Every structure is written in structure tokens, then in C-alpha cells.
Amino acid sequence: MSSKNYENSDNSKEQTAYKEELSKKVKEQKVVVDELSNLKKNRKVYIQQRNSNIFFLADKSQILSSSKKDLDYLKKELQDI
């Protein structure tokens, strides 16, 4: 086999792995959006600080809108592949 075939094979494997990872992230983000959408109005929402085990009280509507934006971005990125 030539080196081009190895490169194409490696590239397609990497692309497939990337697609699977993106698909998994889209599913996770859908769950987050659904869970936030179904919360009762009086429920509190906390967000975790990056690289820490500390959680802070957050505004539910802001978290929901940012989660929807993240979901839209991930879906678009998945479609572009």
C-alpha cells in the first residue's frame, strides 16, 4: 500500500471519530436543554466553575439560552462535516 492510502485511511478514521464525538456532545446538550426547559419556575440552577468543584447560583433563563446556543452551534458543526 502506498503512503497516500495510509493517510486517507487515518484521515477518515479521525473524521469518523470526530463525528461520533460531536454526535455524542449534541445528544448530551439536548438532554441539558430538555432538563432545563422542564424545570419548575421556583427551582434553582447552579453552574460549576471551570476546573473546580465550586458551584454558583445562576439565572435559569440565561443558562437555558446559552445551552440552546451551544446546541445550535454543535448541530451546525456536525452538519458542516
Side-chain angles (χ1 to χ4, degrees):
M1 268 185 149
S2 69
S3 64
K4 286 186 178 181
N5 288 340
Y6 282 129
E7 289 176 10
N8 289 339
S9 176
D10 289 344
N11 191 20
S12 64
K13 286 180 184 178
E14 289 175 8
Q15 190 173 13
T16 302
Y18 183 66
K19 275 186 178 181
E20 289 174 359
E21 185 178 333
L22 268 179
S23 179
K24 182 180 175 184
K25 286 182 181 182
V26 166
K27 288 178 186 177
E28 289 175 0
Q29 200 62 30
K30 281 182 182 179
V31 170
V32 169
V33 170
D34 287 342
E35 289 290 333
L36 286 170
S37 298
N38 292 323
L39 283 178
K40 294 181 181 179
K41 289 184 179 183
N42 61 347
R43 293 291 184 179
K44 294 182 180 180
V45 176
Y46 295 87
I47 189 163
Q48 186 174 12
Q49 185 178 4
R50 293 194 187 274
N51 301 326
S52 174
N53 289 331
I54 301 172
F55 290 82
F56 292 99
L57 186 61
D59 183 38
K60 182 180 128 183
S61 59
Q62 286 180 339
I63 299 299
L64 181 59
S65 67
S66 73
S67 295
K68 285 181 179 179
K69 286 179 186 177
D70 291 344
L71 178 59
D72 291 340
Y73 174 76
L74 289 171
K75 282 182 178 179
K76 182 182 176 191
E77 193 171 335
L78 187 60
Q79 287 176 350
D80 289 346
I81 293 178

